[in-house]
Amino acid sequence: MRRLLLTAGLILLLLPASQAQNAWINEFHYDNAGADANEFVEIVLENAGSFDLSDFTLVLYNGANGEAYGTHSLDTFTEGVTDGNYTLYYKYIASIQNGTPDGLALCYQGNVIQFLSYEGAFTATDGCAAGTTSTDIGVAEDGTGSSSESLQLIGSGSEYDEFSGWVIATASPGDPNTGQTLISRPVVNETKGLSYETIQEAIDNADPGDEITLAPGVYTESITIDRPISLIGMLEDWLAKRARSRPAPRRTQSVGCSLPVVIDASGNAIGINITASNVYLADFCITGATNANLYTNSVISNLTLSNIESVNAGPYGHGLDLHNDAVVTTLNIYTSYFAGNFIGIRIRGSLDGGEINGSFFEQNRHSGLYTTHGSDATGSTYVRYLNIFNTGFYDNPCKAVYAEKLSRTHFLNVEVQHSGTAADADCAYPEAIDINLKYGSYERLRFERVTVTGSIGEGLHIKGRADYGNASVDDVVIQDSYFAGNSIGVAIGGNVGQSWGLSIVSSAIVNNGNEPDRYLYKDNTPTSYATRGGVLIYGVPDNAWIDVGYNCIVNNGTVEYNGTYGFGLANVSDATVEAVNVWWGQPTGPVFFTGTFTEGNYVFGNVQTSPFATEPHADIEGCGGPTGTCTLATLGTLQKLNSSTGRAQILGPDGILVVQNSPLQPNVNLQLVGVTDGDGNSVFTETSPGVWEYTGGGQPPTEAWAYYQRIDTNDPTNQFFLQVSTVCPSESDGTLEAHLDPHFSFQDALPTTFAVHGAAPNPFHTRATLAVELPQTARVTARVFDLLGREVARITDRELPAGTHRLVWEPNGLSGGTYLLRLEIREADGNYHRHTQLLTFVR
């Protein structure tokens, strides 16, 4: 019987501790000279938003008999200020007893949190503090003081016991006391309403399903998540503040954290080790771990990353590593950023289902996404049912994507730029997307609306490796995609398409293989010179079905190098390749290789090409016109002629037909007063105000000058917007229209350094303007994404000359909200800059 009573007693004693709400009595007044007045009690509650205030009660105790004489629920108090994580509540209560002794108890759900007394100590006999002996605060009001004074807790702390003690001072109900500093702990368990100094301490004290938030700042620690929780950076207030006044981060060459919450794992092998299922991570940056910023080697499910930056792990570290024994069921990654790592995401274990959406992989020293068997030659690990949507891979020098295992995966709206650009000791074969399948049978790969440009290797390379476990891949579709500026646009090899086939359809494979001097990393031989071009089929067995019908294969390998040209489509396999209804760049159809190199974009091998298209496919983006792909007009030199006039050079390789003021944006303090050809001849006539058409006869010029007059010579503000129409027929009226919108400034000197001035105003109602200063000619791309990672606007994507330019975004037809502006600039000398900024559009 005594054992049972002892157990019950332990339960009663432990119950208040398990309800560890951080609240205390902070100030009160009960006695003054004359009739007592302004009597009140003040209570501090940490993380008040996590609680129902009616669960807290203040109980007044009579020290003479230990009995309660008044009870007040916290929801009847007046809310005062909130200082960090702490909210102060106060209530005026008449007839608080004058002591010798008396007391106050603070209780939560009927359990005592704190029992203080004044003018002595005593034991409560009833109420929530029954059986508890009070703590005398050691200071009392003796009835001679002012009614404007009170007893106050002073010092610094995060909990009651950390403060230095009580004093009498001028009352401040609802405000922190004079001489008191409330120290907010940065890590908050929002579910429990508890705060901690470190992330790991919060995790160790969390229950499954709890939500933990991180205040802005840098957390220097390595953590393990061993239970299902949400770990979220405090981003909402930061977004609002940043939209009003905070400058956007600028990324020039190097990358780093731009979010206000940073977990710095420098000096640790692993930043965040995830061993539990149902983990949600959001709105913070993790950086600096030696092996992996994010890591799991466990069997888990439902891991979600949302708006996570994982950057600068190294020197051979990974942004996220699913290690050898990991088996992850459902990995979802949304609007996240993997940059500056050796590999952005490496999967050596298994992944069964997931999505990467609206994310970016940038400047990872080897690859963006990397799936490998490692040392496992059994094919026991797998990656399947993975969707990669609305995602960009930029400047990953070895590969954007490398996959030794990948099945039932869909790439949709994926952009790859300048990846697969460098061969070194860690990368013998740079390629943009390398699907290098080993040890198993794989199927159902989809590449839809994929854009790949700028690789010195293959843009997309798919192969089933017979030499690694006789691997094979079947049912592959590449559609509505664009491959340009690579050594080879698409390469297909090995055990591919033997049952359900492989097809390339409705895609543009153009302008590949035209920079042969960049491809010499392979070897310096004639064979290597000629192994460049559009589509390469090699080593495929004769029972495979390969369909390359209804595409645009144009202008590949047309640059001569050491007596060689590149191919449009080369089949060096045993299979028959069907390539009907292809536009080859001329209405006469393809050119076949006859044993002597005479021109590029030729067809080689067993390829069925009849019937062929006799005109470009209008529904294939990037297909181009009868003479190849169209070239957008660009601006060249901007010249100041005198204090009030200047001219802008227009370069239009396809022939300039019309130069006019942009109908989308009016000029600022400038008037278009004339247009000539590149030699200054007046071959353009103003047919209507601000519209100058070519009337010189013969072929339109490829160079023109637009002359501007400053309207108010005392106004330094100058800006012009042009629309140029060229001969190349990509519009329904037979012209190609390009809107040119740089800022034209009457200045004596060009910018000497690169600079970006953030878009303003922000927030904005109608338009936001971004200023860019270029010391030299550069390719400028400015795009806008919604918070789901979908591209909603492309402001500009062209080469701009040295000078200061203003880019304007008018979000016509879009709903109000927050959008991400992404600016990418590649200067002629190879320098690369990136600028991102959150914009708030208010309708």
Side-chain angles (χ1 to χ4, degrees):
M1 195 66 178
R2 291 184 60 188
R3 179 175 297 174
L4 290 174
L5 287 172
L6 178 60
T7 303
L10 285 172
I11 292 174
L12 290 173
L13 289 172
L14 289 173
L15 183 58
S18 69
Q19 305 288 341
Q21 293 70 31
N22 190 20
W24 65 84
I25 298 166
N26 197 55
E27 181 183 5
F28 62 97
H29 169 63
Y30 66 91
D31 196 9
N32 55 260
D36 291 342
N38 299 326
E39 297 170 288
F40 74 93
V41 178
E42 177 187 81
I43 292 171
V44 173
L45 175 59
E46 185 180 27
N47 305 316
S50 300
F51 299 99
D52 183 342
L53 296 184
S54 66
D55 286 336
F56 293 87
T57 52
L58 174 74
V59 181
L60 305 178
Y61 276 93
N62 183 343
N65 55 20
E67 295 179 354
Y69 69 90
T71 299
H72 302 268
S73 175
L74 189 57
D75 62 353
T76 66
F77 281 55
T78 299
E79 182 177 333
V81 304
T82 295
D83 186 347
N85 294 341
Y86 303 95
T87 302
L88 287 75
Y89 298 88
Y90 64 97
K91 183 176 184 179
Y92 288 97
I93 303 172
S95 301
I96 299 178
Q97 294 185 175
N98 287 349
T100 63
D102 287 309
L104 311 91
L106 179 62
C107 302
Y108 178 73
Q109 294 181 346
N111 300 294
V112 66
I113 296 174
Q114 185 183 42
F115 187 20
L116 302 180
S117 61
Y118 44 92
E119 303 182 29
F122 63 96
T123 300
T125 59
D126 64 6
C128 63
T132 303
T133 300
S134 66
T135 298
D136 187 351
I137 65 173
V139 181
E141 294 179 320
D142 60 6
T144 63
S146 169
S147 63
S148 63
E149 295 178 331
S150 66
L151 295 169
Q152 303 180 7
L153 189 64
I154 63 169
S156 300
S158 302
E159 300 177 2
Y160 177 81
D161 291 340
E162 296 175 0
F163 294 93
S164 57
W166 290 82
V167 298
I168 296 177
T170 301
S172 59
D175 287 295
N177 301 324
T178 302
Q180 182 182 49
T181 302
L182 300 171
I183 301 174
S184 294
R185 291 172 291 198
V187 185
V188 179
N189 185 319
E190 299 287 353
T191 308
K192 289 182 164 56
L194 304 178
S195 297
Y196 303 91
E197 292 294 337
T198 69
I199 303 172
Q200 191 63 61
E201 182 185 9
I203 294 171
D204 292 343
N205 287 279
D207 290 330
D210 283 358
E211 178 182 306
I212 297 170
T213 60
L214 310 177
V218 178
Y219 300 80
T220 305
E221 57 180 306
S222 172
I223 63 177
T224 296
I225 300 178
D226 59 358
R227 60 203 71 190
I229 61 166
S230 297
L231 184 64
I232 303 171
M234 293 177 63
L235 186 60
E236 290 184 3
D237 290 342
W238 170 78
L239 278 173
K241 178 180 178 182
R242 180 177 176 185
R244 290 192 301 268
S245 61
R246 180 169 175 158
R250 179 182 301 166
R251 293 175 177 147
T252 303
Q253 299 290 355
S254 61
V255 296
C257 296
S258 69
L259 293 173
V261 178
V262 177
I263 300 175
D264 186 351
S266 298
N268 297 283
I270 296 171
I272 301 178
N273 182 16
I274 303 162
T275 63
S277 296
N278 300 309
V279 170
Y280 177 83
L281 308 178
D283 301 334
F284 62 82
C285 179
I286 173 73
T287 183
T290 304
N291 293 347
N293 287 331
L294 299 160
Y295 173 92
T296 185
N297 199 32
S298 303
V299 179
I300 62 173
S301 60
N302 300 321
L303 171 60
T304 300
L305 313 181
S306 178
N307 196 32
I308 292 294
E309 295 177 336
S310 182
V311 302
N312 295 336
Y316 286 92
H318 314 305
L320 168 62
D321 185 16
L322 276 56
H323 207 56
N324 295 339
D325 296 327
V327 179
V328 178
T329 303
T330 309
L331 168 67
N332 290 320
I333 300 174
Y334 305 116
T335 57
S336 292
Y337 181 70
F338 297 85
N341 310 291
F342 185 67
I343 294 173
I345 297 178
R346 185 182 74 162
I347 304 175
R348 292 190 68 170
S350 294
L351 174 63
D352 193 358
E355 182 175 316
I356 301 173
N357 199 334
S359 297
F360 296 102
F361 295 76
E362 175 181 88
Q363 297 185 53
N364 296 288
R365 293 181 297 279
H366 189 277
S367 301
L369 174 62
Y370 191 98
T371 76
T372 176
H373 291 284
S375 58
D376 174 28
T378 66
S380 60
T381 60
Y382 50 85
V383 176
R384 61 195 183 198
Y385 298 105
L386 176 63
N387 293 323
I388 303 175
F389 294 166
N390 309 306
T391 290
F393 296 82
Y394 307 100
D395 294 276
N396 303 283
C398 186
K399 302 174 192 293
V401 177
Y402 174 79
E404 294 180 359
K405 51 189 179 186
L406 196 66
S407 200
R408 295 174 180 258
T409 291
H410 190 182
F411 293 78
L412 175 65
N413 291 332
V414 171
E415 182 178 54
V416 180
Q417 289 184 3
H418 306 293
S419 293
T421 56
D424 56 28
D426 294 315
C427 183
Y429 301 102
E431 299 171 294
I433 302 177
D434 184 8
I435 311 299
N436 186 34
L437 300 170
K438 303 177 180 180
Y439 307 118
S441 298
Y442 304 90
E443 63 179 359
R444 294 189 187 177
L445 300 183
R446 299 291 183 267
F447 300 86
E448 183 178 1
R449 297 202 293 274
V450 173
T451 298
V452 184
T453 59
S455 174
I456 64 172
E458 289 77 356
L460 171 60
H461 194 175
I462 301 174
K463 48 191 178 293
R465 296 291 296 271
D467 53 338
Y468 284 88
N470 200 30
S472 65
V473 58
D474 203 6
D475 192 5
V476 179
V477 177
I478 304 162
Q479 68 184 76
D480 300 322
S481 294
Y482 180 80
F483 302 89
N486 310 288
S487 172
I488 297 174
V490 179
I492 308 296
N495 292 329
V496 176
Q498 293 171 269
S499 294
W500 295 97
L502 178 146
S503 64
I504 306 172
V505 63
S506 299
S507 295
I509 303 155
V510 298
N511 296 316
N512 298 284
N514 287 332
E515 300 176 89
D517 54 329
R518 295 182 63 208
Y519 317 142
L520 295 182
Y521 74 92
K522 298 177 181 178
D523 56 69
N524 196 14
T525 66
T527 300
S528 180
Y529 304 154
T531 308
R532 54 189 172 96
V535 179
L536 173 64
I537 312 295
Y538 69 96
V540 175
D542 60 3
N543 64 338
W545 178 66
I546 308 296
D547 180 17
V548 191
Y550 200 84
N551 295 289
C552 292
I553 302 178
V554 177
N555 202 40
N556 299 286
T558 55
V559 174
E560 184 273 338
Y561 191 80
N562 283 2
T564 68
Y565 291 90
F567 49 82
L569 192 160
N571 179 15
V572 289
S573 76
D574 294 332
T576 298
V577 175
E578 297 181 14
V580 300
N581 293 316
V582 171
W583 169 245
W584 299 98
Q586 59 277 328
T588 55
V591 173
F592 292 90
F593 184 72
T594 59
T596 304
F597 291 106
T598 58
E599 58 184 299
N601 208 58
Y602 58 81
V603 174
F604 177 87
N606 185 9
V607 181
Q608 179 183 341
T609 62
S610 182
F612 52 80
T614 58
E615 60 183 17
H617 295 301
D619 58 336
I620 298 180
E621 185 175 354
C623 189
T627 59
T629 56
C630 294
T631 303
L632 287 173
T634 61
L635 282 178
T637 303
L638 304 182
Q639 291 182 344
K640 175 184 175 183
L641 301 178
N642 53 51
S643 61
S644 62
T645 60
R647 66 177 186 172
Q649 183 187 39
I650 303 168
L651 303 175
D654 295 325
I656 301 169
L657 290 176
V658 182
V659 177
Q660 67 184 82
N661 290 320
S662 172
L664 302 180
Q665 180 72 24
N667 296 330
V668 177
N669 198 32
L670 289 176
Q671 181 179 358
L672 178 61
V673 295
V675 178
T676 70
D677 65 12
D679 296 323
N681 299 312
S682 299
V683 293
F684 288 84
T685 301
E686 188 174 22
T687 57
S688 61
V691 178
W692 295 77
E693 296 186 15
Y694 175 70
T695 55
Q699 292 295 321
T702 59
E703 178 186 350
W705 289 97
Y707 289 80
Y708 286 90
Q709 182 79 36
R710 188 161 59 172
I711 298 172
D712 182 355
T713 57
N714 295 317
D715 184 355
T717 303
N718 305 278
Q719 190 173 3
F720 72 79
F721 295 83
L722 275 177
Q723 178 174 293
V724 176
S725 300
T726 66
V727 172
C728 192
S730 67
E731 301 291 334
S732 58
D733 62 356
T735 65
L736 174 70
E737 294 181 353
H739 295 280
L740 312 179
D741 56 350
H743 174 66
F744 185 88
S745 180
F746 289 98
Q747 298 176 346
D748 292 325
L750 293 172
T752 58
T753 59
F754 164 81
V756 174
H757 304 282
N762 191 16
F764 67 100
H765 291 282
T766 56
R767 67 173 63 93
T769 302
L770 176 76
V772 182
E773 296 181 9
L774 302 177
Q776 58 179 282
T777 299
R779 180 77 183 187
V780 178
T781 302
R783 297 176 296 167
V784 181
F785 299 86
D786 64 18
L787 293 184
L788 294 178
R790 299 174 297 193
E791 182 177 330
V792 297
R794 184 164 297 206
I795 302 172
T796 187
D797 185 6
R798 62 180 177 276
E799 193 171 85
L800 296 178
T804 301
H805 307 272
R806 281 187 168 85
L807 310 178
V808 178
W809 179 45
E810 293 182 334
N812 298 321
L814 294 176
S815 59
T818 300
Y819 294 88
L820 175 68
L821 168 67
R822 183 181 180 91
L823 175 71
E824 300 161 346
I825 298 173
R826 183 176 295 278
E827 294 178 318
D829 63 4
N831 286 333
Y832 186 65
H833 311 277
R834 178 160 285 122
H835 167 95
T836 58
Q837 181 180 1
L838 289 168
L839 300 177
T840 300
F841 172 44
V842 181
R843 292 196 67 89

